[in-house]
Each structure stands twice: as C-alpha cells, then as structure tokens.
Amino acid sequence: MRFVVCGEALIDMLSGDERTPAESAWRALSGGGPMNTAVALGKLGLDSHFLGRLSSDAFGRQLAEHIESNGVQLDLAITTDDPTSLAIVSLDDEGKAHYTFHFHGTSNFNWHDEEFPELSEGDWLHFGSIGAVTDPSYSPVLRFVAGTEAKISFDINVRPTVIPDRAEYNEKVASFLRVVGENGGIAKASDDDLLWLTEGADPVETAQRWCAEFGLPLFIVTLGADGVAAVRGDGSVVKVAGRRVEVADTVGAGDTFMAGFLSSYADNPEALEAALDRGVAAAALVCTRQGAKPPTAEEVDAFLSR
C-alpha cells in the first residue's frame, strides 16, 4: 500500500545552552506533524510519500534532504519560493513541547487546488494538523480530501496559538470529520486536543459523541503515558496501556504513534488492539530520544517482545 501524508513540514527552533543578553544559540530541527508521520512510516519500511509544499530556501532544502534520507519519496511534493514555516519550541519540566509559530505567507499554508494529485482506492491518505485548518489552505485541503478515492485518516493535532478562536477551530474540525465519516475513515486526537476543543469534556465521551454525529467507524484518543483509547462506531471502547520509558521529550510522539498504528492497521483492520499496541510502542520509543527520531520496524519489534 502507498501511504501519502499531506501537511506541513517546518523548522522547529530549539534554544541551545549558550546564551547572553545579546545573543543566543538555536538548533534548527526538521519538524512538522505530518512530515514526522511520513518519516516514521518510511523508517518502518513502508511505501511513504510526502505531499507538502517545500520552500526553495536553505531550510526547505534541509527538510527535503531529511525526508528523502528517511526513505520517504517526494514525487508528490510541491516546490515553492515561499519561505519555510518556523516553530519556536519550548520544553516544560516534563519534556512536553509547547510551540509558538511564524506562519504568515510561508510555504505550508498556500495550497492551490491544482497542486493536489489524484489518488486511487489503493492509496492511504493521512492528513491533518495545522496545515489543514489554517487559511488560506483550509478550503483547498478540504476539497481535496472530500474528493479523494483513497482511504483516509485525520490527525486533528490542535494548536490553539494558531487559531485561538475555539468556535472557529471546532467548525473547521467538524468539516473534516464530516468528510472523514462519509469516506469511512479514521480520526485521531490527543486527550489534550479534545479537552481544549470541548472546554474540559471527557475526551473518550467526546470521541463517542463525534463517532455518532459524523458516522466515524473509528476515533482514536491518545492518552499520553496512559496509552490509548479507540472508540468504534458503535460506541464501544478498546484501550491499550502505555509503556513505561524514560522520557527525553514528547516531540513527535503522536505523529509516530499514528505511523506505528497505520503500519499494522492498514493491512489488518480486524486486529485493532495489536495495531494500537504497535502505535503505543513506536510512540514510547520516540519519547526516549530528543526530537522526532522515530524507530525502525526492527526496533519496534524488539521493544514489543520484551
């Protein structure tokens, strides 16, 4: 199966140790949720293709090299002279990442209808995150997803600093969930995503309500260290516990979970619990490393066999 991952690739700027009042050192890391998922799929040995807009600037060239060096193909990617999008990353005491974005007029957010490829029933399209909901790309991405014949999965991946208006965010997410439900696709969000969107409602109950409202056959809620809950279309819940590891940071954890999950689920959707467990294992491994450095299939297999 060909996995096509649509969304943003950007540069994560992390502060280094050296700083003075006049100068500070920064690390420029290749990042972006959808790009991380595409790379994680490539690292797992799958046929992964990144569908994104990559700048011709130095950061864009870095992103392209990073993507291709991890076994991901760029045959569907668009090259643009728009500057690369930037995210300033701060880590809290528990290693959890928080982001401030510099996006206006940058590469990831200027999609045009003619830039999207035609996908077939044999493809799997994974999309989402801020590249889907941020204008002016929101409408073209929605039309693309609504018109595709591919199987689809949607990672909501909320970033309130990008769209602080909760009502607007919910409206855009609902538009995509409606399309995903009509396609028979999968939605995924973290518990934090759903808590923010609903102002504190129970995340699993929210997933159950949205499955009923939008006709979703499966909604996955990642629960951090507590693992994952998957809500089926009939409202039943399958839970898989988290894996205890020493956390370096959580950058790319949700993105890597989705790659691990899809690597198993796409070929065998009946084995839901095993697919969830593989996703949890992949996410646990990436949390032991600084930055989004996903594991190989062999590393995941070894971890699961412990």
Side-chain angles (χ1 to χ4, degrees):
M1 179 176 290
R2 181 174 71 160
F3 290 92
V4 177
V5 184
C6 178
E8 68 269 13
L10 50 81
I11 294 294
D12 286 333
M13 302 295 294
L14 276 75
S15 178
D17 295 330
E18 298 179 11
R19 75 172 51 237
T20 70
E23 181 180 1
S24 59
W26 290 81
R27 298 169 60 208
L29 304 180
S30 298
M35 188 211 69
N36 289 338
T37 299
V39 166
L41 286 165
K43 290 277 286 184
L44 291 170
L46 300 170
D47 184 14
S48 179
H49 299 248
F50 180 66
L51 174 57
R53 303 180 86 251
L54 296 175
S55 177
S56 58
D57 65 18
F59 282 148
R61 294 193 296 274
Q62 174 184 324
L63 289 166
E65 182 178 353
H66 172 67
I67 293 167
E68 290 188 307
S69 68
N70 283 284
V72 180
Q73 298 188 49
L74 290 176
D75 55 317
L76 302 178
I78 301 298
T79 301
T80 174
D81 290 332
D82 297 336
T84 298
S85 312
L86 300 179
I88 310 304
V89 185
S90 302
L91 301 177
D92 62 21
D93 293 339
E94 297 179 352
K96 190 171 184 177
H98 302 272
Y99 300 86
T100 302
F101 299 102
H102 298 267
F103 284 168
H104 180 70
T106 62
S107 55
N108 292 293
F109 306 99
N110 287 317
W111 278 107
H112 302 284
D113 290 301
E114 64 272 14
E115 293 176 327
F116 293 105
E118 185 173 336
L119 304 181
S120 72
E121 294 179 357
D123 294 321
W124 190 294
L125 172 65
H126 178 70
F127 77 100
S129 195
I130 46 183
V133 297
T134 304
D135 293 320
S137 285
Y138 161 66
S139 294
V141 173
L142 182 61
R143 286 191 291 269
F144 168 58
V145 174
T148 189
E149 295 182 358
K151 301 175 182 67
I152 58 177
S153 51
F154 172 39
D155 188 347
I156 296 176
N157 200 19
V158 170
R159 293 289 182 258
T161 56
V162 176
I163 304 178
D165 186 321
R166 190 177 276 106
E168 178 188 353
Y169 220 133
N170 271 288
E171 181 180 350
K172 289 180 172 179
V173 166
S175 296
F176 282 112
L177 290 176
R178 192 169 294 110
V179 167
V180 173
E182 291 170 353
N183 179 281
I186 297 169
K188 174 258 180 187
S190 72
D191 50 358
D192 286 341
D193 291 337
L194 299 181
L195 286 168
W196 186 83
L197 286 170
T198 63
E199 298 187 78
D202 180 88
V204 174
E205 291 179 3
T206 297
Q208 291 173 314
R209 176 166 55 86
W210 284 357
C211 279
E213 180 177 353
F214 299 108
L216 298 164
L218 189 66
F219 196 118
I220 297 170
V221 183
T222 55
L223 305 170
D226 293 328
V228 62
V231 177
R232 292 192 174 102
D234 62 3
S236 61
V237 181
V238 177
K239 289 189 176 182
V240 169
R243 299 267 180 165
R244 186 176 297 276
V245 294
E246 186 171 341
V247 175
D249 65 47
T250 63
V251 177
D255 314 321
T256 304
F257 164 83
M258 204 60 195
F261 170 78
L262 289 176
S263 71
S264 177
Y265 181 85
D267 288 331
N268 189 12
E270 299 302 317
L272 175 59
E273 188 169 345
L276 293 170
D277 199 25
R278 192 165 186 82
V280 167
L285 284 170
V286 85
C287 287
T288 66
R289 306 162 181 180
Q290 288 191 328
K293 298 174 182 174
T296 64
E298 292 75 18
E299 288 172 326
V300 175
D301 289 340
F303 187 75
L304 285 169
S305 68
R306 293 175 188 171

